[in-house]
């Protein structure tokens, strides 16, 4: 079973994170499948790209179990982390460079680095039960996925810092108020909302949408994001093999088992 399902719906290509048993938590294989699906979608030139998750969660970020499985030595853990976080960051950059509008249908919780998939979207619709939350200070990780590289630009530095210091849960209504989402809707209406947006896009010139997105996310701006994502990865790698972080992962796993 593919960890990312690709579906064509009218003029849009939908990419579904599909690791239901782990709430679509990120592991290298899933991120690799997502990058492959993005390359396919880019070549197909859809009116829009839509990201969503199967089941009750959008994604709960990096799978703590995956980190624990590779914690036998600092070298092994670093190699695993480099692969996962590095690939996630490349995926975010792929999304920023995507030639068509990128939409996110956020069907449930978005935690940890998976927030980067939402932050890289142009327009976001959230179900009423969805939320965004960092959780980094509950484990000892450094923020990844754009929590420091993208979020401050979206909502302001002070708010971005406060959310991460306090591990604030951002509900759908607050996400709309902060400008992280366009709207919150009942879960049953999520797909129809996105499809309505795609229908609106299809009334205009795709070449204009492409030019608009390329001008906003030009190479210079993407390179700035890359530099900040690289800083996130460096700090994540510095913290991940510390004993305090290993203890934090064990406690987090026990708490949520």
């Amino acid at each position: 079973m593919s960890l990312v399902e690709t579906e064509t719906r009218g003029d849009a290509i939908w990419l579904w994170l599909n690791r239901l048993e782990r709430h679509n938590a990120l592991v290298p294989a899933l991120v690799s499948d997502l990058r492959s699906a993005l390359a396919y979608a880019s070549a197909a030139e859809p009116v829009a790209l839509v990201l969503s998750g199967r089941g009750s969660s959008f994604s709960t970020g990096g799978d703590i179990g995956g980190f624990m499985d590779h914690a036998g030595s600092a070298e092994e853990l670093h190699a695993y982390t480099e692969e996962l976080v590095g690939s996630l960051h490349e995926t975010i950059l792929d999304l920023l460079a995507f030639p068509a509008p990128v939409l996110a249908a956020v069907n449930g919780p978005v935690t940890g680095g998976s927030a980067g998939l939402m932050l890289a979207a142009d327009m976001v619709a959230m179900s009423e039960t969805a939320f965004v939350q960092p959780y980094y200070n509950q484990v000892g990780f450094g923020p990844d996925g754009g929590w420091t590289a993208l979020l401050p630009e979206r909502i302001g530095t002070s708010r971005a810092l406060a959310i991460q210091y306090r591990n604030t849960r951002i509900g759908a209504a607050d996400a709309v108020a902060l400008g992280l989402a366009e709207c919150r809707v009942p879960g049953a209406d999520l797909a129809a909302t996105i499809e309505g947006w795609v229908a609106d896009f299809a009334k205009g010139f795709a070449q204009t949408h492409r030019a608009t997105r390329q001008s906003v996310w030009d190479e210079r701006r993407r390179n700035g994001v890359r530099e900040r994502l690289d800083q996130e990865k460096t700090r994540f790698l510095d913290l991940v093999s510390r004993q305090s972080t290993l203890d934090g992962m064990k406690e987090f796993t026990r708490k949520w088992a």
Side-chain angles (χ1 to χ4, degrees), residues 62-84:
D63 192 328
I64 300 295
F67 290 106
M68 294 296 294
D69 288 344
H70 293 84
S73 68
E75 293 77 12
E76 181 184 357
L77 184 55
H78 270 240
Y80 177 83
T81 302
E82 174 83 37
E83 180 181 12
L84 177 57

Side-chain angles (χ1 to χ4, degrees), residues 92-93 96 149-150 153 217 220-230:
I92 292 168
L93 292 164
L96 296 181
L150 289 169
E153 185 179 73
W217 289 113
R220 184 176 66 174
R221 192 175 182 200
R222 296 199 314 272
N223 284 341
V225 174
R226 178 183 291 278
E227 182 178 349
R228 294 193 295 274
L229 289 173
D230 285 346

